[in-house]
Amino acid sequence: MIRSTLAFALSTLALFAQEPTKPTAPPAAAVPLPAANSPEAAKVVEQAIAKMAAYGRGSFSTSESQDAAMMRGAGMPFGGGDTEVKGGWHREVVWGEHDGSDYVKANGRMLAKVGDGWKLRASKLGAGKPAPFTLDPALLFALLQELPAEARAVVHVEAGEVASKPVTILSLQLDGDAATEFMDSGVLPAAGGGGFVMFGGVGGMPMPQVDHTVYLAFSIDESGDVLRFAAKVYEKNGMFGGMQVAIAVNGQGVVEEEKEDEKEEEEEKADAPVVWKKGFPKRKPAKDESVVTFRADFSKLGRAEPPQLGDKEKALLRLH
């Protein structure tokens, strides 16, 4: 009995040895991949944006992460987590749910769900927490349609997947005035700059010039729908180049000195090839660059329904 069992085990091992493991195939593109910087690639993005704008409604789930230059490497024991929102939009109405609190926005106003009713609020949710940045897809797609021609060039194309569906990921890069104008619109969350930004500088000094580089990645399926929109924003602010937040230990602030080899790592090699992954180039931010990464997954396009509101709530949101 033992011999027969051993013989069966050996024969099974031999069978697996004869069949080498097949390598995992990369994700297939939703459509044949157009070449980067080609009119065909730009056309795919243009048509997808127009289609999303025409839907006029849908659901979304967003995730926002911040990497503020001042806080980088400070070892803070709190914060740093992603901010997540689930919601949707229908014409001028945008609604969301964050950390168990529901809210609705329209025409510059917001209602927060408090108990079983809705209350008019400026920037706080029903639980008293600050309202998070909330995507306005109608504004997003309107602004994307207004980008200057040079900003609509597709700089990178790759195949990918969203919720197990094959997609084509096409990326844009905004620099200079186009990037600053896009960020000034408020369509994306601002890169974290700490309290100095909120108070308008240090010691009453004017705010320094802020430069942006914005990468936009569109994951488009074979029907031309944008299943995912992602953005990575690099905000360069000279104010934070020599600043770092320290944690008080036994009453004393501790800041680890920057090592020479770390300085060398920050210097980008001009001749190094750019490596892209999921629509973004792999790039280490400079010490005076804050980074915000934002992602929105879309669903129920053309079918999402806003929360049920009574006449009073509609009047408060000026929906009549």
Side-chain angles (χ1 to χ4, degrees), residues 5-317:
T5 302
L6 179 61
F8 175 76
L10 292 174
S11 63
T12 303
L13 290 173
L15 178 61
F16 279 106
Q18 294 173 3
E19 297 183 2
T21 303
K22 296 181 180 179
T24 303
V31 294
L33 294 181
N37 297 297
S38 68
E40 293 78 14
K43 192 69 174 179
V44 172
V45 174
E46 177 184 344
Q47 291 176 341
I49 292 171
K51 187 176 182 182
M52 295 295 287
Y55 275 127
R57 66 167 75 185
S59 296
F60 59 74
S61 59
T62 65
S63 176
E64 170 194 343
S65 63
Q66 294 276 353
D67 177 17
M70 280 182 56
M71 312 300 291
R72 189 178 300 130
M76 301 296 284
F78 52 85
D82 291 353
T83 301
E84 298 182 346
V85 174
K86 292 184 179 180
W89 81 104
H90 182 200
R91 298 190 180 96
E92 71 270 35
V93 180
V94 176
W95 62 93
E97 179 272 323
H98 170 66
D99 199 21
S101 296
D102 295 300
Y103 57 99
V104 184
K105 292 184 172 186
N107 300 311
R109 293 186 176 184
M110 183 179 79
L111 294 178
K113 192 69 174 292
V114 180
D116 294 330
W118 295 94
K119 300 292 184 180
L120 200 60
R121 293 287 187 267
S123 59
K124 286 189 176 181
L125 303 181
K129 295 182 179 180
F133 170 84
T134 305
L135 178 68
D136 183 344
L139 175 63
L140 170 65
F141 296 118
L143 286 168
L144 289 170
Q145 289 178 311
E146 295 298 318
L147 286 176
E150 61 272 16
R152 294 199 300 269
V154 176
V155 297
H156 175 73
V157 182
E158 65 179 276
E161 286 186 351
V162 174
S164 301
K165 292 187 64 175
V167 295
T168 302
I169 305 174
L170 304 99
S171 304
L172 311 184
Q173 178 178 338
L174 310 184
D175 297 292
D177 291 342
T180 300
E181 285 292 331
F182 195 75
M183 293 305 298
D184 284 349
S185 71
V187 72
L188 291 177
F196 294 102
V197 171
M198 293 185 290
F199 290 109
V202 180
M205 293 187 298
M207 291 294 295
Q209 178 64 39
V210 176
D211 297 319
H212 296 95
T213 300
V214 182
Y215 296 96
L216 307 176
F218 303 86
S219 296
I220 302 173
D221 68 6
E222 59 183 353
S223 71
D225 290 339
V226 178
L227 299 188
R228 174 175 293 167
F229 166 78
K232 188 178 285 288
V233 180
Y234 291 83
E235 181 179 284
K236 192 176 185 68
N237 190 331
M239 177 185 294
F240 306 122
M243 293 183 178
Q244 184 179 7
V245 173
I247 303 176
V249 180
N250 295 327
Q252 296 181 349
V254 178
V255 178
E256 184 179 354
E257 294 184 359
E258 191 178 38
K259 299 178 182 179
E260 289 299 323
D261 57 347
E262 291 177 344
K263 291 183 179 180
E264 293 176 0
E265 288 178 2
E266 288 183 356
E267 298 177 357
E268 297 181 357
K269 296 181 180 179
D271 56 346
V274 179
V275 178
W276 293 74
K277 184 177 181 180
K278 295 183 179 180
F280 299 131
K282 298 185 71 173
R283 167 184 165 186
K284 183 177 180 180
K287 63 181 180 180
D288 59 352
E289 276 187 323
S290 295
V291 184
V292 57
T293 305
F294 183 78
R295 189 186 76 187
D297 287 354
F298 297 108
S299 60
K300 295 184 179 179
L301 296 173
R303 298 181 290 112
E305 293 292 339
Q308 294 295 320
L309 299 174
D311 291 340
K312 178 182 177 181
E313 288 74 27
K314 291 179 180 179
L316 290 173
L317 292 175

